[in-house]
């Protein structure tokens, strides 16, 4: 599936190998099997199969090596997200990610101090928590009429399940205690429940987390017309006659540049690097990079009361599955999304126990919806470049008074939830540095009209540049608090279906003309 023989032309070129780029490849492989597809990824292949989640790598040394290899073009090394560092607001990236060296904040602004990215086959989906909740209330995109069907399809592509932790002995207890504190007045969809997770069980019972490998599926891996090129930088999108016509790609191993003509171009880089590539290509709609939003994140921990001690576990064998992952859904009345998980599943350590007594600590996290503002943006200029030589992302970002009120409400609510679950650990919750959620959205947002407030239409096709599509969390136009991957994959499905339909019509027309 990985090759260095760059094609001169393909039907579709996809920039980025994360879950949305992989969704395009999967849907096209299923619906347009005659289409030739080239996928370009700036980072290396770090797992087998390509795009697999690094948590599935059993050897901790190999897992750490895969994480380091994902940390972009700058200096790499061991990274520890310690409780002390998080509480102090210290800039530090999680393993498998890297930070902006500069331009993450400007004087008088809040900025996104720990805004982070990954460069590897599979993108951030090789490192994520796998949470795939559905949007609720105002999180939903009202102008997408088939949103629920698209979310169903995203569930299929990501391999989402709600029963991965059914055997966890403490899961039902945690949810029962949360439900008593939360559920009154809520409809069934927003009551406390199991977190939908992109994960499945092997026959031997081991938990396997979905990455882009699951999204691609066997149909894509076995597609002879699909090729993946890792360590390949898309330098610019080519636009001829007002339409996207291909890309210029640089082989980072050799430094050679290749022009790949394409009937369609899909840019699925991430919420920072997708607008970066469009800007570098001279495709600069008014809303490009604007309406950028992160989810402010408040975290706390609680020690379960009256729980029997369980046997210790082998830390190299994967997660200790005690309480599983539970979900407190967003509502407009309570504008945050709750993710409650056993401590060793949490991406941020929340207690200083060393070692943590298995099953004793539950981590709680609340993600807050953001006021959407055009001035919150990622910007680019000709003077600043990143480690790849591309225009460097420069973040302009402020919390509004309302945002601060929501964060304070979340701090109060998380204490209430921690007390409902058990005995809070520590004196107070802490608010992580902005950018910690890794859920950046809005920078290539979808809209219903080319009125300067959106970058693409309902099919994710860029306004004014036919045949150029964008994908990823940046396309989401609403203020969400829930994890965005399921929604962004759902939107990618819609765009991929449009491309597949056009290719099918053109194929029929070609056959008719030659008959």
């Amino acid at each position: 599936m990985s090759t260095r023989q760059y094609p001169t032309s393909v039907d579709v070129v996809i920039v980025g190998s994360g879950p949305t780029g992989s969704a395009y490849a999967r849907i096209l492989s299923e619906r347009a099997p005659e289409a030739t597809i080239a996928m370009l990824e700036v980072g290396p292949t770090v797992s087998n199969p390509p795009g697999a989640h690094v948590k599935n790598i059993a050897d901790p040394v190999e897992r750490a090596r895969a994480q380091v290899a994902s940390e972009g073009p700058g200096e790499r090394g061991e990274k520890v997200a310690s409780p002390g560092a998080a509480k102090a607001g210290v800039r530090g990236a999680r393993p498998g990610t890297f930070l902006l060296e500069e331009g993450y904040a400007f004087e008088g602004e809040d900025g996104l101090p720990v805004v982070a990215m990954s460069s590897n086959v599979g993108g951030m989906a090789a490192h994520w928590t796998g949470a795939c909740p559905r949007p609720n209330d105002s999180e939903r995109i009202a102008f997408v009429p088939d949103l629920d069907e698209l979310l169903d399809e995203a569930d299929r592509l990501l391999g989402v399940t709600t029963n991965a932790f059914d055997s966890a002995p403490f899961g039902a207890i945690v949810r029962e205690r949360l439900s008593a504190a939360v559920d009154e007045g809520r409809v069934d969809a927003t009551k406390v429940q199991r977190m939908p997770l992109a994960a499945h069980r092997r026959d031997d019972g081991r938990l396997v987390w979905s990455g882009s490998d699951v999204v691609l599926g066997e149909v894509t891996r076995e597609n002879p017309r699909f090729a993946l090129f890792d360590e390949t930088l898309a330098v610019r999108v080519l636009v001829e006659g007002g339409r996207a016509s291909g890309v210029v790609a640089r082989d980072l191993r050799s430094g050679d540049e290749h022009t790949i003509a394409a009937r369609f171009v899909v840019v699925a880089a991430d919420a920072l690097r997708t607008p970066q590539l469009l800007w570098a290509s001279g495709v600069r709609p008014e809303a490009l990079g604007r309406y950028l939003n992160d989810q402010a994140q408040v975290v706390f921990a609680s020690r379960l009361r009256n729980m029997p001690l369980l046997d210790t576990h082998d830390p190299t064998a994967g997660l200790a599955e005690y309480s599983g992952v539970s979900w407190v859904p967003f509502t407009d009345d309570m504008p945050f999304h709750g993710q409650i998980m056993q401590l060793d599943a949490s991406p941020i350590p929340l207690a200083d126990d060393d070692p943590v007594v298995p099953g004793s600590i539950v981590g709680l996290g609340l993600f807050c919806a953001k006021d959407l503002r055009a001035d919150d943006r990622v910007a680019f200029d000709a003077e600043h470049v990143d480690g790849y030589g591309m225009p460097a992302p420069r973040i302009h970002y402020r919390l509004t008074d309302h945002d601060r009120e929501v964060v304070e409400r979340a701090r109060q609510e998380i204490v209430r939830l921690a007390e409902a679950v058990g005995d809070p650990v520590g004196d107070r919750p802490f608010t992580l540095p902005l950018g910690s959620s890794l859920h950046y959205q809005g920078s290539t947002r979808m809209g219903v009209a080319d009125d300067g407030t959106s970058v693409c239409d309902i099919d994710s096709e860029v306004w004014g540049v036919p045949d150029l599509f964008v994908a990823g969390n940046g396309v989401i136009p609403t203020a969400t608090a829930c994890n965005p991957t399921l929604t962004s994959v759902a939107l990618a499905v819609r765009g991929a279906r449009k491309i597949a339909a056009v290719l099918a019509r053109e194929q029929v027309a070609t056959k008719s003309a030659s008959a």
Side-chain angles (χ1 to χ4, degrees):
M1 197 171 70
S2 183
T3 178
R4 303 314 289 182
Q5 186 66 39
Y6 291 87
T8 57
S9 67
V10 292
D11 291 308
V12 184
V13 62
I14 301 170
V15 179
S17 63
T20 57
S22 296
Y24 270 84
R26 171 73 170 271
I27 296 300
L28 290 168
S29 293
E30 292 177 342
R31 294 195 170 209
E34 298 300 314
T36 53
I37 308 165
M39 175 178 281
L40 313 180
E41 168 56 53
V42 71
T45 300
V46 300
S47 53
N48 184 28
H53 202 301
V54 301
K55 279 198 291 191
N56 299 332
I57 302 174
D59 184 342
V61 174
E62 290 299 318
R63 190 184 315 129
R65 184 177 294 120
Q67 291 170 331
V68 170
S70 304
E71 293 172 1
E75 294 184 6
R76 301 172 181 175
E78 183 179 0
K79 298 181 180 179
V80 179
S82 71
K87 291 177 183 177
V90 174
R91 287 190 81 228
R94 300 179 201 170
T97 72
F98 62 99
L99 305 173
L100 292 183
E101 295 183 4
E102 60 179 6
Y104 51 83
F106 291 89
E107 185 175 355
E109 301 178 357
D110 296 292
L112 294 177
V114 294
V115 66
M117 297 165 280
S118 294
S119 289
N120 54 271
V121 173
M124 199 71 78
H127 311 284
W128 68 324
T129 62
C132 289
R134 294 200 175 199
N136 285 299
D137 289 359
S138 59
E139 293 181 307
R140 292 175 58 85
I141 308 169
F143 58 79
V144 177
D146 52 348
L147 181 61
D148 288 315
E149 188 273 328
L150 294 171
L151 291 167
D152 288 342
E153 182 72 340
D155 277 341
R156 176 181 77 93
L157 297 184
L158 286 160
V160 175
T161 180
T162 58
N163 60 10
F165 285 91
D166 275 0
S167 62
F170 297 161
I173 295 172
V174 170
R175 285 189 293 277
E176 180 181 349
R177 294 178 180 181
L178 288 170
S179 294
V182 170
D183 283 355
E184 184 177 357
R186 290 185 174 224
V187 299
D188 287 346
T190 59
K191 290 181 178 179
V192 172
Q193 56 197 274
R194 295 174 176 87
M195 177 69 76
L197 294 170
H200 67 277
R201 294 281 176 183
R202 295 193 321 198
D203 291 341
D204 63 5
R206 185 181 177 88
L207 189 67
V208 179
W209 296 90
S210 297
S212 287
D213 63 319
V214 172
V215 181
L216 289 168
E218 291 303 321
V219 67
T220 309
R221 281 188 287 274
E222 295 176 358
N223 182 356
R225 294 175 174 83
F226 170 79
L228 167 65
F229 301 87
D230 64 359
E231 299 184 73
T232 299
L233 173 69
V235 176
R236 66 181 179 276
V237 175
L238 299 174
V239 179
E240 297 179 1
R243 311 179 74 90
S245 61
V247 300
V248 175
R250 181 181 301 144
D251 183 345
L252 295 182
R253 299 180 191 174
S254 67
D256 296 337
E257 291 194 353
H258 304 265
T259 297
I260 304 173
R263 175 68 179 82
F264 294 97
V265 176
V266 179
V267 183
D270 61 34
L272 301 185
R273 288 178 285 186
T274 292
Q276 174 191 60
L277 180 55
L278 266 59
W279 193 91
S281 306
V283 179
R284 303 174 184 177
E286 183 178 345
L288 185 70
R290 293 188 176 273
Y291 302 96
L292 178 68
N293 66 95
D294 172 46
Q295 298 164 350
Q297 187 177 358
V298 178
V299 293
F300 206 19
S302 186
R303 192 181 307 275
L304 296 176
R305 290 189 296 266
N306 305 320
M307 291 293 103
L309 292 180
L310 299 181
D311 292 336
T312 57
H313 73 288
D314 177 0
T316 68
L319 295 178
E321 299 163 14
Y322 302 124
S323 63
V325 185
S326 299
W327 175 26
V328 181
F330 165 96
T331 69
D332 287 341
D333 291 334
M334 297 293 285
F336 18 81
H337 150 86
Q339 187 164 304
I340 289 82
M341 56 207 327
Q342 80 274 16
L343 187 65
D344 56 350
S346 173
I348 300 293
L350 299 177
D352 294 310
D353 297 37
D354 188 18
V356 173
V357 177
S360 65
I361 307 293
V362 172
L364 300 94
L366 292 182
F367 298 79
C368 303
K370 172 80 170 70
D371 274 345
L372 301 185
R373 303 170 59 250
D375 285 344
D376 293 326
R377 65 196 187 279
V378 53
F380 308 93
D381 58 48
E383 298 178 13
H384 300 88
V385 296
D386 65 11
Y388 296 107
M390 296 290 287
R394 300 177 67 75
I395 307 296
H396 295 276
Y397 196 82
R398 289 187 177 94
L399 295 183
T400 66
D401 290 343
H402 180 257
D403 292 330
R404 298 184 191 281
E405 291 172 3
V406 170
V407 171
E408 182 55 36
R409 285 183 63 191
R411 290 177 63 85
Q412 296 173 16
E413 177 68 4
I414 206 169
V415 171
R416 190 176 77 87
L417 297 181
E419 291 173 343
V421 167
D423 298 317
V425 176
D427 298 332
R428 65 181 71 87
F430 53 98
T431 304
L432 295 179
L434 293 176
S436 296
S437 79
L438 307 179
H439 295 167
Y440 323 124
Q441 300 166 61
S443 57
T444 53
R445 71 201 305 249
M446 175 183 289
V448 295
D450 184 8
D451 59 3
T453 66
S454 60
V455 170
C456 64
D457 66 14
I458 194 172
D459 294 313
S460 301
E461 192 167 13
V462 174
W463 298 115
V465 188
D467 306 331
L468 175 59
F469 289 70
V470 286
N473 296 339
V475 175
I476 298 172
T478 54
T480 73
C482 72
N483 313 66
T485 303
L486 186 77
T487 301
S488 62
V489 169
L491 300 180
V493 168
R494 201 175 209 279
R497 287 175 176 175
K498 177 173 182 179
I499 293 176
V502 172
L503 290 174
R505 289 196 300 269
E506 292 178 350
Q507 185 178 23
V508 169
T510 299
K511 289 181 178 179
S512 298
S514 60

